[in-house]
Amino acid sequence: MRNQIIKLIFLSILTTTYFGCSSDSNSDDCETITCLNGGTFVDCECECPLGYTGNNCSTQVRPSKVIITKAIVKVFPNTDNGEFWDLSIPDAEDALPDIYITLQDSNLITIYDSPTFYENVISGEGTFFEFTLTPPVELTVYDNPFLVNIWDYDTTGEDDFMTSFGFFAYTSNNNFPDIITVVSQSDEILVDLEVTYEW
Ligand SMILES: [Ca+2]
Ligand SMILES: [Ca+2]
């Protein structure tokens, strides 16, 4: 009996020691990390969502493509320095611009040219003009800017160039926005580009 009690005490010391060690080594190996950008802490490390990497998911993975699916034109100049865009047309409504967009790369190569336009439209009345890009435009260059151009479609002669502004498809700390907002300091142009990403 005495032997058994000693055995039990010994066992219990062993068990305590074992668990004590275990919890010590656990806390050494497994320092809790706060996982950023929607990462989850699993098996002592951060499992990062698509697009993020690093110890705590704070580093963006450079996408292989930034894909523009839609352009929403919100602001454009209603007049050409005070003159109507369609001067030759006496009717006031027809004198308004007939807008469409193009996209250009930094070499001014046109990479998208909208096949449709909105007839006789005014900017600034809360109406937005959507262009669904079919097929979507895939951008793979991130070091140089692209241009959004707004044009007035004319049935005769060359179309009138209305306004333009540059944007970057991607920066390494932009958190992959769903919308790239293209806006000039003078607020002469405001276009939202809806984008998706591939890695
Ligand atoms: Ca015109
Ligand atoms: Ca017109």
Side-chain angles (χ1 to χ4, degrees):
M1 182 64 173
R2 199 179 160 194
N3 272 353
Q4 272 194 337
I5 289 173
I6 290 171
K7 210 175 182 182
L8 269 176
I9 290 169
F10 182 67
L11 264 177
S12 106
I13 288 168
L14 259 186
T15 315
T16 313
T17 313
Y18 174 75
F19 280 121
C21 256
S22 163
S23 87
D24 274 346
S25 75
N26 241 355
S27 65
D28 281 352
D29 293 344
C30 190
E31 198 180 311
T32 306
I33 303 169
T34 303
C35 308
L36 305 176
N37 297 309
T40 47
F41 193 64
V42 179
D43 291 339
C44 292
E45 56 183 28
C46 288
E47 282 186 359
C48 302
L50 200 59
Y52 292 95
T53 187
N55 225 15
N56 61 351
C57 307
S58 62
T59 306
Q60 287 185 202
V61 178
R62 185 183 165 93
S64 59
K65 289 175 189 172
V66 176
I67 304 164
I68 306 176
T69 55
K70 192 185 275 186
I72 303 161
V73 176
K74 295 186 166 179
V75 174
F76 54 84
N78 280 319
T79 63
D80 182 7
N81 292 314
E83 305 287 337
F84 284 114
W85 285 106
D86 288 337
L87 271 180
S88 59
I89 300 165
D91 183 287
E93 193 192 329
D94 275 358
L96 298 175
D98 314 296
I99 66 159
Y100 70 94
I101 62 158
T102 62
L103 299 177
Q104 286 177 308
D105 67 15
S106 60
N107 295 317
L108 302 182
I109 305 292
T110 299
I111 55 172
Y112 178 78
D113 189 346
S114 171
T116 58
F117 63 89
Y118 288 90
E119 201 173 3
N120 300 318
V121 287
I122 295 180
S123 160
E125 297 194 330
T127 310
F128 301 150
F129 305 97
E130 291 192 6
F131 296 87
T132 299
L133 279 56
T134 314
V137 173
E138 297 182 347
L139 306 179
T140 56
V141 172
Y142 308 139
D143 298 333
N144 294 317
F146 293 85
L147 277 175
V148 179
N149 306 304
I150 303 180
W151 297 84
D152 165 41
Y153 173 75
D154 283 333
T155 46
T156 54
E158 285 190 10
D159 296 347
D160 291 322
F161 171 75
M162 296 174 69
T163 186
S164 173
F165 210 69
F167 69 96
F168 283 91
Y170 171 75
T171 56
S172 61
N173 59 355
N174 71 349
N175 282 314
F176 308 110
D178 295 332
I179 290 174
I180 296 173
T181 298
V182 184
V183 59
S184 68
Q185 285 90 341
S186 61
D187 292 331
E188 188 182 74
I189 178 172
L190 172 56
V191 179
D192 280 347
L193 301 173
E194 291 189 5
V195 292
T196 60
Y197 300 87
E198 275 184 24
W199 287 274

